């Protein structure tokens, strides 16, 4: 072997342990801990005694202490930390505007999907809205498995045949009623928090079945200091006379910020009615105005003085009230024409409030009325406006109204900020519909990511809820495009509202070795065989690579032919992938030339391990690309 050949780096294969689809959270946390407390590590393991000594007075040793726990909490924590071995398969045929859209609909169990999204969307989501099962005793609660959660999903969806697998509802009579719900929610919320931006916010719909448990969970995961408020949403506006005790008319929305100090809530837009209450009877050059009383119930240390009107009347505050401004301030306001004495100048004085000086918006309250945010009944109408069901009553009892979700988005996102909104209990897809409608109304460019399980339905027309979600989104895109078509011709492609969505589906990895039990297999044997599963396309593999490299699943992908072989250029050269077979040195040199042409900061290149024409090409590839300034070259 020549010296050059010895110096040459051999091509690394993507390693399921290092490059696995979702990050190994435990390993990452240990690494951080090692940076902080190197002294507590002994032969790669944590020495708890040493940690205890290092933390001193901050260790809680008491048996009886304030804590929130339930059966299975430790396991739920471990479930959140176990990496996923799955992938997301692209489904352009079920999508709308596949090539251009930034919106995603992901079909799958949200636990696995949240794990897969950890790299690509880490700290990128501006707002999460979820409407999880309320645990009323009628819904099923997804049974996570610690070791083989993906296998459970594959069995549930019939991707692996096990002769009929059914998940029953979580009945109140079950001894593990709250426990099952907490075990399901804990890992999902924990993973979801990682995706939120520092200035991000999460809204969770819930009712009295689990509101107290949800608050505890959220306090633990987001920190009590990041609790924002619990909102009451009036979901029904008529009292049910059949109610045994009280007629329930509201749900809650529990709101936490990722970091309260970084989150600013927007003001709500001022309504036309509010603005119409401003008039200008005296043609004040400062424009329309309304008035506030001068007297107040509280004594602000200002006033019990006498006020004399221009007509000579004397006013004192009515009994039990006080003037809200000092005598001097009142005189200044009067001199500036800001006191209104009535049309004939004899009324009790009032302070003018000009529309031009009013706040740009309205401060939101914790009470969201049906007049502003709609009801469950309105939500059903929103859904039925989009799609028809033979038996609508069998499908959705409590979808959420578009207006309710838009209200949250107005507070929690910016129209032009390309903000990502995530809903991983998407149901009928109201969140996607709401995003597209709001963007159309205010010219925004918000994006959505929805996740929904293909939960089987009893309905004759849609086999799963995921089918309903997609049908609704498709209908929404058509209807909104039709409604807004008059405003479209003037807009160019970039200015048009994104009314599409990419469909991706949870499945086992495309790469054979990655879902095998590594410790039990002879790696050498695996190396010799084709590693990509039968029936999986190049596009399937490509999307798995996007997840592994932490790239956006809506990133533009260009494909080119380089010396007769198909090469994918992702994110303007951030990643270049060639999955062809029979790759020669010509092709490798053609790929090397892309670095100078596209000038990405870093270019990573991935080949199919069995794709090289011969071993000489494979050995030389790393060197050729290195000379072009490409250091990250891998095969799979
Ligand atoms: C209360 S519904 C959401 C309704 C939705 N907000 C709407 O307006 O239509 C909760 C949804 O979460 C889904 N779901 C439950 N467990 C899930 C899981 N593990 N992964 C993904 N979706 C799940 C259910 O199928 C159901 O459609």
């Amino acid at each position: 072997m020549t010296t050059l050949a010895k110096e040459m780096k051999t091509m690394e294969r993507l390693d399921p342990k290092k490059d696995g689809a979702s990050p190994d959270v435990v390993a990452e946390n240990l690494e951080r801990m090692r940076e902080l407390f190197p002294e507590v590590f002994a032969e790669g393991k944590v020495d708890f005694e040493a940690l205890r000594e290092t933390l001193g007075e901050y260790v809680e040793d008491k048996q009886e202490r304030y804590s929130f726990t339930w059966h299975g909490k430790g396991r739920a924590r471990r479930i959140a930390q176990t990496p996923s071995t799955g992938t997301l398969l692209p489904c352009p045929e079920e999508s709308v505007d596949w090539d251009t859209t930034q919106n995603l609909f992901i079909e799958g169990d949200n636990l696995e999907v949240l794990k897969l999204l950890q790299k690509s969307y880490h700290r990128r989501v501006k707002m999460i809205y979820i409407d999880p099962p309320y645990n009323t005793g009628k819904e099923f609660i997804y049974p996570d498995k610690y070791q083989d959660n993906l296998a459970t999903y594959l069995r549930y969806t019939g991707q692996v045949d096990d002769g009929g697998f059914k998940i029953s509802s979580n009945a109140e009579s079950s001894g593990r009623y709250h426990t099952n719900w907490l075990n399901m929610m804990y890992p999902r919320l924990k993973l979801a928090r990682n995706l939120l931006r520092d200035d991000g916010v999460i809204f969770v719909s819930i009712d009295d079945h689990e509101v107290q448990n949800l608050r505890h969970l959220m306090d633990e995961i987001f920190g009590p200091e990041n609790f924002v408020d619990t909102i009451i949403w009036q979901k029904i506006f008529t009292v049910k006379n059949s109610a045994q005790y009280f007629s329930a008319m509201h749900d809650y929305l529990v709101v936490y910020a990722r970091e309260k100090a970084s989150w600013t809530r927007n003001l709500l837009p001022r309504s036309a009615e509010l603005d119409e209450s401003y008039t200008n009877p005296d043609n004040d050059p400062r424009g329309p105005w309304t008035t506030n009383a001068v007297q107040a119930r509280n004594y602000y240390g200002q006033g019990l003085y006498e006020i004399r009107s221009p007509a000579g009347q004397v006013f004192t505050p009515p009994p039990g009230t006080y003037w809200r401004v000092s005598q001097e301030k009142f005189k200044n306001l009067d001199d500036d024409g800001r006191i209104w004495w009535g049309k004939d100048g004899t009324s009790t004085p009032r302070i003018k409030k000009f529309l031009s000086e009013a706040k740009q918006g309205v401060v939101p309250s914790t009470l969201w009325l049906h007049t502003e945010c709609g009801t469950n009944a309105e939500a059903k109408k929103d859904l039925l406006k989009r799609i028809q069901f033979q038996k609508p009553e069998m499908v959705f009892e409590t979808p959420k109204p578009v207006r309710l979700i838009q209200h949250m988005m107005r507070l929690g996102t910016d129209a032009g900020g390309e903000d990502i909104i995530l809903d991983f209990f998407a149901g009928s897809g109201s969140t996607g519909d709401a995003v597209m409608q709001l963007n159309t109304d205010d010219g925004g460019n918000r994006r959505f990511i929805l996740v929904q399980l293909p939960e089987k339905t009893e309905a004759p027309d849609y086999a799963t809820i995921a089918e309903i979600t997609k049908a609704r989104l498709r209908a929404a895109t058509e209807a909104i495009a039709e409604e807004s078509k008059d405003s479209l011709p003037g807009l160019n492609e970039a200015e048009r509202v994104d009314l599409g969505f990419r469909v991706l589906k949870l499945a086992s990895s495309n790469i054979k070795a990655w879902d095998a039990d590594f410790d039990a297999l002879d790696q050498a044997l695996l190396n010799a065989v084709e590693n990509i599963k039968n029936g999986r396309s190049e596009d399937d593999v490509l999307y798995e690579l996007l997840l592994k490299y932490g790239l956006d699943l809506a990133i533009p992908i260009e494909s080119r032919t380089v010396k007769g072989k198909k090469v994918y250029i992702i994110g303007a050269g951030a990643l270049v992938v060639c999955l062809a077979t029979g790759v020669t040195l010509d092709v490798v040199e053609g790929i090397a030339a892309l670095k100078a042409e596209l000038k990405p900061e870093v270019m990573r290149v991935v080949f199919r391990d069995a794709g090289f024409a011969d071993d000489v090409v494979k050995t030389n590839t790393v060197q050729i690309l290195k000379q072009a300034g490409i250091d990250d070259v891998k095969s799979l």
Side-chain angles (χ1 to χ4, degrees), residues 201-239:
V201 63
I202 174 166
F203 293 82
V204 186
S205 277
I206 204 71
D207 73 1
D208 279 301
H209 287 88
E210 295 294 350
V211 68
Q212 78 279 36
N213 283 329
L214 179 71
R215 278 294 313 276
H216 279 307
L217 259 192
M218 301 287 280
D219 268 358
E220 178 159 331
I221 293 170
F222 288 83
E225 67 282 9
N226 292 315
F227 169 66
V228 178
D229 257 310
T230 299
I231 290 160
I232 304 272
W233 164 55
Q234 188 190 5
K235 62 179 178 179
I236 295 170
F237 61 85
T238 45
V239 170

Side-chain angles (χ1 to χ4, degrees), residues 106 108-111 129-134 139-144 184 188 205 379 383 396 398-401 405 423-431 451-455 465-466 469 472:
I106 306 175
D109 160 36
N110 51 17
L111 178 69
Y129 167 56
I130 50 166
D131 177 18
Y134 284 7
E139 315 104 320
F140 88 88
I141 299 297
Y142 195 82
D144 301 322
M184 188 274 292
R188 287 165 174 81
S205 277
L383 173 59
F396 273 97
T398 55
K400 297 298 175 285
I405 303 171
D423 178 350
F424 51 92
F425 287 98
S428 67
S430 349
T431 300
V451 187
Q452 172 58 40
L453 189 74
E455 182 183 336
I465 295 184
T469 330
R472 191 223 180 122

